[in-house]
Amino acid sequence: KFTIDKIAAGEVIERPSSVVKELVENSIDAGSGAITIEIKNGGIDLIRITDNGCGIEKDEVEKAFLRHATSKIKDATDLFDLNYLGFRGEALASICAISKVELITKTAMEMIGVRYVNEGGEIIQHEEIGAPEGTTFIIRDIFFNTPVRKKFLKSPQTEASYISAIVERLALSNPDISFKLIVNGNTKLHTFGNGNLKDVIYNIYGRDIAKNLYEVNFSLEHYSLTGYVGKPAITRGNRNFENYFINGRYVKNSIISKAIEDAYKPFIMQHKYPFTAMLFEIDGNYVDVNVHPSKLEVRFFEGSFLYDEIYKAISSSLTQKNL
Ligand code: ADP
Ligand code: MG
């Protein structure tokens, strides 16, 4: 049983940043307004995620750690419920199989909270405890029981940079949530959670980029876009600055990238790529999102229509530069 758990866990949990992604997505799904992520030694020694979301009911805590246990889908037709990032019910089971997990949680309805400790799949503690409303997860010693996997981790600095990238994406796609990332005791990122995407961009990328943006948006029957595109003076030698999200998920997609790059073509040099932060909301009947733990594949039912609309929206933003 344990071997199977560890193999399956490897699919979802490759490194500390995978733990951060899964836990923060759970905090977002729980309706949190503020989420704090604290890491030590690149997350290898410690990851602490604190949220002020709905909490987990006392009687549901053990169930939450079971494989395929999810509170987020009620029937199979919900399989891609646009409102939630999670639905597989695998993350907590996978994380506790390969690390030491401490959970403290309390719902609004309950008088007292729960503290639950699970190490490598074994329940060490499960007791009542006073706690604020919301949930704290502490993950210690990732891969302590799979030393080979631990050896494949990169340096703490590199692992920390992967975690920053994950938190930045989650902050960009959720401007109404305040994110705080603390690395070895120092606050690396703090977003306001005021719903203003431009403020999030400022917090992540700084003044030079936040002061050099054009707004981009459209609102169509089955699609909407809000966000910002960088002035052509701001470019990178790779696509790492091209951020876009579909229904709250960070994705890479060739149609969207091509529309962006074609719209910029008249304005920037070859092999240079622009800054974008674009939030798409797409009707679930017009996009097919295949959410696999390690990759996100998106297919559009009206790809060339969407290409045209994105191209037009960005082009007109870029040519209105004198307004
Ligand atoms: P999934 O997100 O696919 O449902 P997970 O294994 O990530 O599966 O989580 C299992 C369950 O634990 C969730 O469905 C949810 O009910 C509960 N849960 C996990 N994290 C939180 C949290 N931060 N706040 C409230 N509930 C949570
Ligand atoms: Mg989840």
Side-chain angles (χ1 to χ4, degrees), residues 26 30 51 55-56 64 69-72 86-92 135 137:
N26 282 344
D51 72 43
I56 307 173
T70 176
S71 62
K72 297 172 195 170
F87 58 82
R88 267 175 278 113
E90 281 180 333
L92 294 186
T135 301
F137 272 98

Side-chain angles (χ1 to χ4, degrees), residues 107-123:
T107 62
M109 297 303 286
E110 287 169 309
M111 295 296 288
I112 190 132
V114 174
R115 179 168 172 272
Y116 172 92
V117 180
N118 186 315
E119 299 188 353
E122 191 185 335
I123 300 170

